[in-house]
């Protein structure tokens, strides 16, 4: 009886694992298969570095160059804003607050992660975009800058938690020695902890970059969505927002549809590479 | 005097950033709840969307139920396969190469942006498998999205169990399944639960994966797995995107945020509780 159960249990575990792995592989293969169709008609170089996005009109041009630039631009901008605040907050959490306060403050970061992206979009549209429209002479507040600001808030927790983790480790390692030598706390932070955290900060930035590039809703709601080359105060479009906006109107198996799949595929490859770099750096920290 | 001011720059910088962080968190929550919380009443929570265009009046009852259903289905599928995979990797897989390959596949899936998963769900589940816009298609896509999230956490929790305990159990001739149910599962039950709850919050807030796979602008309360449903984040997006009703958008946002606050604080509480023990 018991042996039978043991056998069934192991079959269930193995079966579920096998099927889940197969499913994940299938998804990746499926996306590749649907996008490859496009490259029979449009060369990869044209698709990546061509002139513009016009999958329905004449002349037919299918290129996601402006969207790739837009995605990278808005993500980099978000990280640029988030980086100083994120690293500063990590120091604040590890060094300024005492243990008790830290326990209270740390979960607020988790709350920031828990806010859904539509609500970030709502805040972006009603607070940031409105602010631009009222206080600056913009024709429309929807801009790359607005997207960057919203993304910076969204990626902040990733930068903080990566830095915070290694800052605690390093300060525990050297605390007794540096206190014994009479080094002040702030001197230690400035000349020991911060330089030692360089790699973790980099890892946090890369993780944040991956998150920012894949973000759909919040960016889509504030960036204006026009497939032009991005400028900081102008509108732009990102790959996820392109897919989200045009998928509903593209018929299955049309060229437009395959182009959207190919755009998703390109984004997937970029994110895959970014994630590989992240894991590589993280591994080198741990050793 | 001079010595005290030596590190004033870094002190100011860190305090300033910390304060900005706190203000941001408080501001977002207070903004949403102050604008939407006041008008919240049982009518809004328990009524159907009404008016023209739809959503200007009435409530969001089908969206609340729809969101709960999507989240429930996603958590059910994802936790089942995620726990099985984590158990397999920790206790069954003896081939290191195979383990590494499974990890690579899971990590690659974690990197797929949610909108691309939605795209896959639309083509494969909705069109090819003919499941239609339904709770099931949306739930499956969401479960693929949260699968890596749960798997990584459960695997970590299982890996942190004292190995001697498990070897002792094996050495006594106790079977793997008995060891799992009597020793391993009780020890990391709270971690597994918190991983599932946090992933549920993640699924509940996601819009992009259900946009083409199950979320619709209007549907009554779903009565089967194959019926389409409304979802809070998608409804909220519609209300803002189409400029239907700002007042209702704020109210919907505060309901959604409240749900997520409850789910997340539950997850945080479980984790805190465990550390106290």
């Amino acid at each position: 009886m018991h042996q039978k159960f043991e056998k069934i249990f192991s079959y269930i575990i193995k079966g579920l694992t096998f099927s889940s792995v197969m499913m994940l592989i299938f998804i990746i293969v499926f996306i590749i298969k649907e996008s490859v169709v496009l490259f029979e008609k449009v060369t990869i170089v044209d698709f990546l570095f061509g002139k513009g996005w016009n999958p329905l009109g004449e002349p037919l041009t299918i290129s996601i160059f402006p969207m790739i630039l837009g995605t990278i631009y808005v993500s980099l901008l978000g990280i640029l804003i988030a980086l100083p605040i994120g690293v500063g907050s990590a120091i604040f959490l590890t060094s300024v607050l005492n243990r008790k306060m830290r326990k209270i403050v740390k979960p607020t970061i988790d709350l920031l992660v828990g806010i859904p992206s539509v609500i970030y979009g709502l805040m972006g549209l009603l607070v940031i975009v409105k602010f631009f429209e009222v206080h600056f002479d913009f024709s429309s507040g929807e801009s790359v800058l607005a997207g960057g600001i919203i993304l910076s808030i969204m990626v902040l927790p990733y930068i903080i938690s990566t830095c915070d983790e290694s800052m605690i480790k390093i300060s525990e390692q050297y605390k007794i020695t540096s206190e014994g030598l009479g080094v002040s706390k702030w001197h230690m932070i400035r000349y020991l902890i911060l330089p030692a955290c360089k790699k973790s900060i980099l890892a946090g930035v890369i993780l944040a970059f991956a998150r920012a590039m894949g973000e759909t809703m919040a960016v889509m709601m504030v960036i204006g969505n026009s497939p032009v080359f991005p400028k900081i105060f102008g509108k732009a479009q990102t790959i996820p927002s392109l897919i989200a906006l045009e998928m509903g109107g593209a018929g299955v198996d049309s060229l437009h549809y395959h182009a959207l799949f190919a755009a998703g595929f390109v984004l997937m490859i970029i994110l895959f590479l970014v994630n590989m770099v992240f894991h590589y750096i993280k591994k080198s920290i741990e050793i | 005097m001079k010595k005290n001011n030596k590190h004033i720059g870094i002190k100011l910088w860190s305090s300033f950033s910390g304060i900005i962080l706190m203000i941001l968190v408080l501001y977002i929550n207070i903004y949403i709840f102050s604008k939407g919380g006041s008008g919240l009443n049982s009518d809004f929570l328990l009524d159907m969307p009404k008016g023209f265009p739809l959503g200007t009046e009435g409530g969001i009852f089908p969206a609340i139920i729809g969101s709960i259903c999507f989240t429930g289905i996603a958590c059910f599928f994802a936790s089942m396969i995620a726990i099985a995979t984590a158990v397999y990797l920790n206790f069954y897989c003896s081939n290191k190469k195979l383990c590494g390959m499974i990890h690579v596949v899971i990590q690659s899936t974690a990197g797929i942006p949610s909108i691309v998963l939605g795209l896959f769900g639309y083509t494969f589940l909705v069109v090819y498998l003919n499941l239609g816009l339904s709770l099931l298609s949306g739930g499956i896509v969401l479960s693929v999205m949260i699968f890596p999230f749960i798997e990584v956490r459960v695997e970590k929790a299982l890996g942190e169990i004292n190995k001697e305990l498990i070897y002792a159990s094996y050495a006594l001739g106790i079977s793997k399944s008995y060891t799992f149910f009597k020793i391993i599962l009780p020890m990391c039950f709270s971690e597994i639960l918190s991983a599932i709850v946090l992933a549920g919050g993640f699924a509940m807030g996601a819009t992009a994966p259900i946009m083409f796979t199950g979320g619709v602008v209007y549907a009554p309360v779903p009565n089967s797995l194959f019926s389409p449903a409304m979802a809070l984040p998608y409804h909220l997006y519609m209300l803002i995107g189409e400029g239907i009703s700002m007042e209702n958008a704020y109210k919907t946002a505060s309901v959604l945020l409240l749900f997520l606050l409850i789910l997340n604080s539950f997850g945080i509480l479980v984790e805190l509780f465990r550390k106290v023990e």
Side-chain angles (χ1 to χ4, degrees), chain B residues 107-146:
Chain B
Q107 274 162 17
S108 323
T109 333
I112 301 179
S114 56
I115 186 70
V116 178
L117 281 180
L119 200 59
F120 162 79
Y122 171 70
T123 313
F124 185 69
L125 299 170
V126 176
V127 179
Y128 285 176
L129 289 188
N130 216 359
L131 291 175
L133 287 174
S134 63
L135 271 179
L136 189 64
S137 331
I140 291 174
V141 173
L142 284 175
S143 72
V144 174
M145 185 181 83
I146 62 176

Side-chain angles (χ1 to χ4, degrees), chain A residues 223-239:
Chain A
I223 205 171
N225 298 307
S226 65
V228 290
F229 285 90
K231 283 191 210 93
I232 189 155
F233 296 119
K235 295 183 176 186
Q237 190 163 34
T238 63
I239 297 175

Side-chain angles (χ1 to χ4, degrees), chain A residues 6 9 17 20 24 26 30 84-85 88-89 92 114 116 118 122-123 125-126 186 220 244 247 257 261 267 271 275, chain B residues 11 13-14 17 31-32 84-85 88 92 109 111 113 119-120 123-124 175-177 207 212 237 240 250 260 264:
Chain A
E6 169 75 17
F9 182 73
T17 307
S20 67
L24 300 182
F26 174 74
F30 187 86
I85 302 176
S89 303
F92 180 76
V118 200
L122 169 96
M123 297 294 291
L125 205 59
L126 297 175
W186 290 98
M220 184 168 112
M247 196 55 209
Y257 156 91
F261 250 104
L267 182 63
L271 287 183
N275 279 328
Chain B
K11 274 183 197 170
W13 168 41
S14 70
S17 319
Y31 183 88
I32 299 286
T85 309
Y88 178 77
Y92 282 90
T109 333
L119 200 59
F120 162 79
T123 313
F124 185 69
S175 68
K176 272 185 182 174
S177 60
T207 320
F212 311 116
Y237 171 65
I240 309 163
Y250 281 124
L260 288 172
N264 287 327

Side-chain angles (χ1 to χ4, degrees), chain B residues 205-277:
Chain B
T207 320
I210 56 167
M211 259 166 111
F212 311 116
T213 54
V216 287
V217 179
Y218 175 74
V221 176
N223 51 14
S224 87
L225 274 179
F226 298 100
S227 52
M230 291 176 76
L232 282 171
Y234 190 53
H235 185 63
L236 177 58
Y237 171 65
M238 277 326 217
L239 290 178
I240 309 163
E242 313 280 315
I244 292 170
S245 160
M246 274 307 137
E247 196 198 337
N248 276 359
Y250 281 124
K251 285 196 234 167
T252 313
S254 52
V255 172
L256 178 60
L257 203 55
L258 194 66
F259 264 108
L260 288 172
L261 274 180
I262 293 170
L263 280 179
N264 287 327
S265 47
F266 182 75
I268 293 167
L269 272 184
V270 169
E271 239 160 67
L272 277 183
F273 199 64
R274 185 173 62 86
K275 270 173 199 157
V276 169
E277 276 176 356

Side-chain angles (χ1 to χ4, degrees), chain B residues 21-33:
Chain B
L21 174 75
M22 306 304 295
I23 289 175
L24 271 176
V25 176
L26 288 177
Y27 179 73
I28 294 173
N29 285 296
I30 291 172
Y31 183 88
I32 299 286
F33 284 126

Side-chain angles (χ1 to χ4, degrees), chain B residues 187-204:
Chain B
M187 277 180 88
C188 37
F189 185 73
S190 65
E191 274 128 315
I192 295 176
L193 193 68
S194 90
I196 295 172
V197 171
L198 286 175
F202 189 29
M204 187 172 259

